[in-house]
Amino acid sequence: MQGKWVISDLDGTLLDSRQQITQAVKQRIRLFQQDGGFFTLATGRSLNSALPFIEELNIKVPVILYNGAKLYDPIQKVFLKEHALPVSSFRHALYNYELTGEGLGLNVLVFCQEQIYCPSITNTVERYMQKDKVNIIETSMSDLYDLFQSSTKIMFLGDPDALKSFQEKCFSRTEQPVAPLWHAVQSEPELLEILPPNVNKGSACLELIEVLGLDMADLTAVGDNLNDIEMIALIPNGVAVQNAHPILKETADWVTSRSNDEDAIIEVFDQKAVAI
């Protein structure tokens, strides 16, 4: 699989504000693939949520899911790499939700073996389900604790200020010992994700390179938010779209002049570093 690669984030990067991929972008990706290029995704979404886009774009190479916690092969239909939350991190997250997060009006989702669970389907959770087109199973808090053995990540949803306060109090660096027990990241202002330690899109890119024997110089990565920072910093040609978070723009090698609503990814394909 040697050749030029483009690894793109989904929300806010490849998808427009209507959560769609425009025909112009799909056509440009097809041309890139037909010319021998490889296109794939690096997203915080679960497999069920990302699969329609994988099929729509006819992606035949591994895809990064759960912000780096899983590497999925769409041809073999298997996970090549999987990382789970340590039990202590899992319990820390749920305990602090009950102690602090719930009082801040936050919602909690537990991602376990391609299912999503929560203690209450609120309006906020409904909106998340509609946006990501996923089904969420309502269950009790006591039953959530029973999912500790194979949970991929825990997500908190709610007001950005409340999430910031919650993260600073319960998931700051000072809350961890020397060896990290989790990786906390915001992929959107209304979402806080607790991932396995040392897991991010950058670490998943390294796993992709190792599994396929790729040359990092052939890779281009594109993103828009804070969960893309490790990937954009790692890849020699790291790109931020125009609508990206200011910190990501500072991290990127360059910034597109177009936003995700203006087919920014086409601008990426047209640059010399990607051209085949």
Side-chain angles (χ1 to χ4, degrees), residues 10-267:
L10 263 176
D11 296 275
T13 303
L14 186 65
L15 302 183
D16 61 21
S17 297
R18 298 175 299 167
Q19 303 299 301
Q20 296 177 353
I21 305 173
T22 67
Q23 288 299 322
V25 168
K26 285 190 281 190
Q27 181 178 1
R28 190 66 182 82
I29 291 173
R30 281 195 296 269
L31 288 173
F32 179 70
Q33 292 168 326
Q34 290 170 5
D35 288 343
F38 299 93
F39 182 84
T40 192
L41 304 174
T43 177
R45 294 191 182 219
S46 65
L47 175 59
N48 290 334
S49 182
L51 195 56
F53 301 110
I54 295 172
E55 294 173 345
E56 184 178 2
L57 298 173
N58 195 32
I59 296 175
K60 304 292 188 183
V61 294
V63 176
I64 295 168
L65 303 172
Y66 294 97
N67 278 322
K70 293 191 179 186
L71 187 64
Y72 177 73
D73 184 339
I75 299 300
Q76 300 181 66
K77 295 182 171 31
V78 297
F79 291 109
L80 302 176
K81 297 285 185 178
E82 296 184 74
H83 302 273
L85 273 171
V87 174
S88 57
S89 307
F90 179 87
R91 289 174 173 162
H92 175 89
L94 290 188
Y95 171 77
N96 279 282
Y97 171 73
E98 290 188 286
L99 188 67
T100 304
E102 192 170 14
L104 290 171
L106 302 181
N107 298 267
V108 62
L109 306 181
V110 175
F111 293 72
C112 180
Q113 295 185 346
E114 301 314 304
Q115 298 290 339
I116 309 173
Y117 302 87
C118 78
S120 178
I121 305 291
T122 64
N123 291 335
T124 300
V125 174
E126 283 276 8
R127 288 193 295 271
Y128 176 81
M129 291 170 64
Q130 293 171 6
K131 173 182 170 292
D132 277 28
K133 295 181 173 56
V134 293
N135 181 51
I136 295 178
I137 301 168
E138 192 171 10
T139 188
S140 67
M141 281 299 302
S142 60
D143 285 341
L144 285 184
Y145 276 98
D146 290 336
L147 302 174
F148 68 89
Q149 289 185 323
S150 53
S151 174
T152 304
K153 71 176 182 179
I154 291 178
M155 178 186 288
F156 299 101
L157 297 81
D159 175 76
D161 289 336
L163 283 172
K164 181 179 179 181
S165 175
F166 183 56
Q167 181 175 0
E168 289 175 350
K169 182 174 182 179
C170 304
F171 295 99
S172 65
R173 291 183 184 275
T174 57
E175 291 297 317
Q176 300 200 55
V178 175
L181 297 178
W182 61 74
H183 175 56
V185 65
Q186 282 194 266
S187 53
E188 297 177 27
E190 302 82 12
L191 304 178
L192 172 64
E193 300 184 30
I194 308 304
L195 298 167
N198 302 312
V199 164
N200 53 65
K201 291 185 181 182
S203 65
C205 284
L206 290 175
E207 291 180 336
L208 181 69
I209 290 168
E210 178 186 10
V211 167
L212 300 181
L214 305 180
D215 185 343
M216 190 180 292
D218 290 332
L219 274 57
T220 291
V222 195
D224 79 301
N225 222 315
L226 298 178
N227 61 322
D228 299 312
I229 283 181
E230 291 88 354
M231 175 175 72
I232 298 302
L234 172 75
I235 303 303
N237 191 34
V239 186
V241 292
Q242 183 56 229
N243 54 288
H245 192 288
I247 295 177
L248 190 75
K249 287 183 176 182
E250 294 177 2
T251 304
D253 294 297
W254 65 282
V255 180
T256 65
S257 63
R258 304 186 204 176
S259 71
N260 64 315
D261 283 323
E262 300 168 310
D263 296 344
I265 197 75
I266 292 179
E267 188 176 338

